[in-house]
């Protein structure tokens, strides 16, 4: 006997088959919490002070988090392909336990616990959580894959702007340790609802025969390594610049007449608001780049073109600094142009990556290929800050140490441009579009 369709069951079906409630909203509920990894600078000095440790030693907490993010994503791809609910749950448990465990470690004065909880356990939650919504979005928004992944990944970039002031408020009212506990509860609730809501389209069925691809087969393809190198360089350069932007702004503003003669304490207080505003605008450009560049890729014949635009733009703003010597000449407008546009390209590189991999390797295996490519993020997380620190520390003329970093970034962006251009050439020559492994 055929059961009648009630109004309630119709509404339930309509809700669960809606691509916004099954893909976009759960993606944001997962990505916004894990994106708070970029809020590290809010409390890293407080951790160092509380544990009587050097800032350099504490910094390994963040480096390990990014490393485990990339490496866990590299290995979690097949799990995400097979069972998106399981990967969402694993992400939630690891992230929340790691975040709360960081608070426990701080309360106990145990620095290795910070490395284990914030770096390793939370880092695994970051990697699995970052990867989980991506293919789902591409399945639900098959005609606008770039836009869909851009909106969701934007949540990761926007998290810093949302969480940083909240963290500052909680630290000031309930203390550092309780901040971790309170936010762990909030993030657990958000990610749990993301876990409940996320689902594949009704017509998608996991087929081991077509969804499985050998990692070794992917790693033997020159096109994969061309994409990997370009992605790695973009993150390395972005992190190198981002890690120094406060100090760059400090030096530029110090040359302004209105700040001349101020004591260090008064100068720091005077520019705090300006630097805070710049960092907030940085986050906006990062987020806009994630949505804008990936959306642009939907309207181009080949998605490598977006990376070419990003690298040419980044080279241009670096050359602007070199030719105007904007840091040493205190040309704030040129420095801001460099910071904002490189931040936009940094974000755009993340959101365009999955649809670029889809173009070469196909949607059926994108979780695996995307995960492998995110290993570049793991290594860049270790090399970006260290590259900037090495250049700044070893520049013979310390008065111009930050300006010395820019030619290095220019050369690296040029190398990335060559790499992605070769990928575009090889893909065009081989007739690669939506044809791929497992497609």
């Amino acid at each position: 006997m055929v059961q009648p369709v009630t109004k309630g069951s119709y509404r339930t079906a309509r809700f669960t088959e809606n691509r916004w409630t099954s893909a976009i909203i759960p993606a944001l509920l997962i990505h916004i919490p894990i994106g708070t990894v970029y809020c590290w600078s809010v409390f890293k000095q407080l951790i160092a002070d509380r544990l009587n440790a050097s800032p350099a030693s504490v910094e390994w907490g963040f480096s390990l988090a990014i490393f485990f993010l990339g490496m866990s994503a590299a290995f979690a791809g097949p799990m995400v392909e097979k069972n998106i609910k399981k990967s969402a749950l694993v992400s939630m448990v690891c992230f929340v336990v790691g975040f709360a465990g960081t608070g426990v470690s701080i309360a106990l004065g145990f620095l290795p616990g910070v490395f284990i909880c914030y770096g390793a356990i939370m880092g695994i939650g970051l990697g699995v959580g970052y990867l989980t919504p991506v293919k789902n979005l591409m399945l639900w928004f098959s005609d606008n894959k770039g836009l869909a992944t851009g909106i969701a990944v934007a949540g990761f970039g926007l998290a810093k702007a949302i969480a940083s002031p909240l963290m500052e408020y909680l630290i000031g009212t309930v203390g550092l340790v309780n901040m971790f506990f309170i936010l762990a509860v909030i993030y657990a609730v958000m990610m749990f609802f993301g876990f409940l809501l996320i689902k594949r389209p009704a017509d998608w069925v996991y087929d081991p025969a077509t969804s499985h691809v050998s990692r070794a087969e992917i790693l033997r393809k020159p096109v994969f390594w061309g994409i990997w190198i370009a992605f790695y360089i973009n993150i390395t350069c972005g992190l190198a610049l981002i890690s120094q932007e406060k100090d760059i702004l400090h030096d530029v503003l110090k040359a302004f007449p209105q700040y001349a003669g101020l004591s260090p304490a008064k100068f720091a207080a005077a520019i705090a608001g300006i630097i805070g505003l710049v960092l907030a605008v940085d986050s906006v450009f990062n987020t806009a780049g994630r949505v804008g560049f990936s959306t642009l890729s939907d309207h181009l014949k080949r998605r490598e073109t977006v990376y070419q635009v990003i690298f040419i733009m980044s080279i241009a703003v670096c050359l602007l600094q070199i030719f105007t010597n904007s840091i040493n000449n205190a040309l704030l407008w040129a420095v801001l142009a460099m910071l904002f546009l490189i931040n936009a390209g940094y974000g755009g590189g993340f959101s365009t990556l999955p649809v670029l991999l889809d173009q070469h390797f196909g949607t059926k295996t994108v979780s695996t290929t995307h995960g492998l490519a995110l290993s570049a993020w793991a290594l860049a997380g270790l090399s970006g800050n260290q590259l900037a620190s090495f250049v700044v520390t070893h520049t013979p003329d310390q008065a111009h140490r930050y300006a010395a970093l820019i030619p290095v970034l220019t050369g690296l962006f040029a190398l990335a441009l060559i790499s992605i251009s070769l990928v575009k050439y090889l893909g065009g020559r081989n007739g690669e579009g939506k044809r791929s492994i497992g497609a």
Side-chain angles (χ1 to χ4, degrees):
M1 180 178 179
V2 178
Q3 294 294 326
V5 178
T6 65
K7 184 180 292 186
S9 63
Y10 170 77
R11 287 175 178 171
T12 301
R14 186 179 179 184
F15 181 81
T16 57
E17 295 302 321
N18 185 296
R19 60 185 184 174
W20 288 89
T21 55
S22 299
I24 289 287
I25 292 176
L28 292 173
L29 287 171
I30 294 170
H31 270 205
I32 288 176
I34 66 176
T36 56
V37 66
Y38 279 141
C39 298
W40 172 254
S41 62
V42 172
F43 49 77
K44 66 177 182 180
Q45 186 60 53
L46 296 175
I47 294 176
D49 295 341
R50 179 79 175 255
L51 303 185
N52 296 315
S54 68
S57 63
V58 171
E59 194 69 51
W60 278 103
F62 178 77
S63 296
L64 288 170
I66 299 300
F67 177 78
F68 275 92
L69 184 162
M71 297 312 296
S72 62
F75 288 97
M79 177 180 66
V80 177
E81 291 279 2
K82 185 176 182 179
N83 192 331
I84 194 174
K85 286 286 191 181
K86 180 179 179 181
S87 64
L89 185 61
V90 169
S91 171
M92 180 194 76
V93 172
C94 289
F95 179 79
V96 172
V97 169
F99 197 83
T102 303
V104 173
S105 300
I106 295 169
L108 296 176
F110 187 51
L111 182 58
V114 175
F115 299 154
I116 294 169
C117 293
Y118 196 92
I121 299 174
M122 196 184 91
I124 293 171
L126 294 173
V128 178
Y130 188 88
L131 197 60
T132 292
V134 173
K135 177 175 178 174
N136 196 47
L137 288 158
M138 295 170 71
L139 292 173
W140 280 98
F141 292 81
S142 57
D143 295 331
N144 300 102
K145 295 177 181 178
L147 172 62
T149 57
I151 291 174
V153 176
F156 196 93
L158 193 60
K160 181 178 179 180
I162 297 172
S164 290
L166 177 59
M167 286 181 172
E168 296 275 10
Y169 171 77
L170 289 174
I171 290 170
T173 54
V174 299
L176 178 64
V177 171
N178 288 330
M179 180 273 290
F180 278 99
F181 296 154
I182 291 171
L183 288 183
V185 173
I186 293 173
Y187 294 151
V189 172
M190 291 177 66
M191 296 182 77
F192 182 69
F193 275 104
F195 158 74
L196 293 178
L197 289 173
I198 198 166
K199 63 175 294 186
R200 301 289 199 199
D203 58 353
W204 183 88
V205 179
Y206 175 73
D207 181 1
T210 59
S211 296
H212 173 74
V213 61
S214 167
R215 291 189 180 95
E217 184 180 352
I218 296 171
L219 296 175
R220 283 196 297 266
K221 290 186 170 289
V223 164
F224 173 81
W225 287 108
I227 295 171
W228 191 97
I229 290 169
F231 182 58
Y232 167 77
I233 291 176
N234 193 45
I235 302 172
T236 296
C237 291
L239 290 176
L241 187 62
I242 290 169
S243 68
Q244 303 299 318
E245 61 185 349
K246 281 187 177 181
D247 295 320
I248 291 173
L249 290 169
H250 182 279
D251 276 17
V252 170
L253 293 171
K254 196 173 183 179
F256 278 38
Q258 61 265 44
Y259 300 126
L262 291 180
S263 67
K266 289 184 177 180
F267 173 68
I271 67 169
I274 298 174
I275 291 180
L277 176 62
V278 170
L279 296 181
V281 176
D282 265 349
S283 180
V284 171
F285 270 86
N286 186 303
T287 304
R290 290 171 188 259
V291 178
F293 283 116
S294 60
T295 302
L296 175 63
S297 73
D298 284 333
H299 304 283
L300 298 173
K301 184 177 181 181
R302 298 199 63 83
R303 298 188 192 266
E304 297 95 339
T305 305
V306 170
Y307 272 95
Q308 290 178 313
V309 171
I310 289 172
F311 296 140
I312 291 171
M313 176 185 72
S314 300
I315 291 169
V317 292
C318 286
L319 290 175
L320 173 66
Q321 192 285 319
I322 292 171
F323 288 126
T324 62
N325 198 14
S326 60
I327 295 177
N328 296 326
N329 290 329
L331 299 178
L332 184 60
W333 65 270
V335 171
L336 292 179
M338 178 178 65
L339 295 177
F340 293 160
L341 293 181
I342 288 180
N343 258 286
Y346 175 80
F350 280 103
S351 60
T352 308
L353 177 65
V355 287
L356 175 58
L357 292 166
D358 169 54
Q359 176 179 274
H360 288 278
F361 298 97
T363 304
K364 290 182 178 178
T365 59
V366 75
S367 294
T368 300
T369 54
H370 190 204
L372 285 173
L374 289 177
S375 63
W377 194 0
L379 298 182
L382 297 177
S383 64
N385 292 13
Q386 284 75 7
L387 169 67
S389 178
F390 179 84
V391 173
V392 169
T393 302
H394 291 84
T395 298
D397 184 1
Q398 282 293 295
H400 304 103
R401 60 192 182 277
Y402 298 115
L405 177 63
I406 309 307
V408 176
L409 300 184
T410 307
L412 288 173
F413 278 128
L415 181 60
L417 178 60
I418 293 171
S419 181
I420 203 66
S421 297
L422 287 173
V423 169
K424 186 176 181 179
Y425 170 74
L426 291 172
R429 188 186 68 179
N430 297 333
E432 289 183 353
K434 302 303 176 186
R435 177 186 61 77
S436 58
I437 297 173

